[in-house]
Amino acid sequence: MSFFSTRGGACVTASQAVLYGLAHDGGLFVPSMFPTVTQERLSALCQTGYRNQAARILRAFLEDYSIAEIEQTVDAAYGDGWDDPAVAPVRTLTENIHVLELFHGPTLAFKDVALKILPHLMRLAAQKNGEEREISILAATSGDTGKAALEGFRDVPGTSCTAFYPLGGVSRVQELQMTTTQGRNTHVIGVKGNFDQAQAGVKRIFADASLRDELARRGIVLSSANSINFGRLAPQVVYYFTAYTDLVARGVVRMGQNVNFVVPTGNFGDILAGYYAKRMGLPIKRLICASNRNNVLTDFFSDGIYYTHRTFFKTLSPSMDILISSNLERLLYESADRDAALVSSWMELLSASGSFSIGAQRLAQLRKTFWAGYADDVMTAAEIRRVYERSHYVLDPHSAVGSHVLNEYRAQTGDHTAAVLVCTASPYKFASDVAASLLGAEAVEGWDMLQCAQKLEELSGVPVPEQVRSLATLPVRHKATCEPQGMAQALLAELSN
């Protein structure tokens, strides 16, 4: 299968799409077609576990990887390091609301599902394309991608990994997870700005030909660990299939019966993976896009206008504090009937004026699949309390946004189709805010991160993960910071060290 750039400037193999990360024209790589999973094949998947389903689905996209390579990669990624052998288990909250738990990996967030496998795919991609230079992985992170990428590539031969994160824009646990990372090839740089500025800076680095030449002289080639890299996106498609087959195997839904997925959304990669699963044949009725107060996507699905010249808010759900959702470009490419010139014109308008419009007809088509809503911090805290009181289940602030939006969707549409809430992170990554939501801010005033985590353990019966408990004693190794305009120079300095 070939891969095209959303802006029309490339045709590459799957391994090249993984290796390059981002097309040189600034576009994102997309598959030339969507593989089809028939109902017969889907029924067969119900009889298999996570690894087997992952191997089959990834092989459908990554055709220049052999079956043996895919299977070995999947075994390496989803063997050790998971506190649940199902990798992505589904729990039932109510009769027709289920939660897909994606936080059982080493960094307690959904990014682990893809970033445990990406280093293996990347190393094979380098071999297949004769790339002998050091592969320097860059990641802009709103909180979770950074640590997952650092952990995935830590001490992997022939690579280095640099995470840029917004100073003051992530939770204390997220920051400590990154800045205490071990490994001789890991780098962490705090950006004095927000995530959008960090992400734009990484894209500028990829587009800077003179910087690429300088790195090439040093024997270094850049690649990406963000979901702009198709090697990050493809593994996320898998858990939509495993969630559905899990429900079928348990008799919760019939084979072929539609379900809705509710996805807390910032950079649009996770929900786009659900869209890809639907295009492949998975019986998804609606994809419910849940945003926090930075509700640029809610407005887009309401009026078809993407507008970023608006106030940026820091919220209880920092991984969603994003105004420029990079993966939306892949959806726009499909909405534009794969007209790369039209997508390029929209991206040029976004860069020049901060907005573009897709028109009423295209919006109407998108709204057949997508529905969007949002929750502010007051709504989010209230939803954490409501779900705990009803189901004795503790949601993190991102998943609570999704739960609130699902209630809103059902109230407005009357659609009570069985729904899967995609739970993207452990509540322990946001222990202070979750504890305050459950007990009140006054009750936890003066408590440190670990005290809040211990209270969550008492309330939920779920032990504090060792990954959180140990943070209080780990030394901070990474202290570099920079302005958004100085990210390239900061990268060069880190790589020189």
Side-chain angles (χ1 to χ4, degrees), residues 78 101 126 137 153 158 192 228-229 235 344 385 406 418 444 471:
Y78 304 126
E101 294 183 344
I137 307 297
F153 284 94
K192 298 174 184 177
I228 56 176
N229 189 319
S344 293
R385 288 193 302 275
L406 173 59
V444 301
L471 286 176

Side-chain angles (χ1 to χ4, degrees), residues 142 166 169-170 194-196 265-266 292-294 312-323 377 398:
S142 54
V170 300
N194 58 40
F195 170 76
D196 289 323
T265 310
N292 62 19
R293 195 178 177 191
N294 294 293
F312 177 89
F313 297 102
K314 292 184 179 181
T315 73
L316 295 179
S317 44
S319 297
M320 297 158 62
D321 288 348
I322 297 171
L323 293 180
D377 281 354
H398 306 76

Side-chain angles (χ1 to χ4, degrees), residues 122-134:
M122 188 76 71
R123 188 174 65 252
L124 287 168
Q127 293 171 4
K128 290 175 182 297
N129 292 279
E131 181 56 73
E132 297 180 350
R133 293 173 291 180
E134 176 187 306

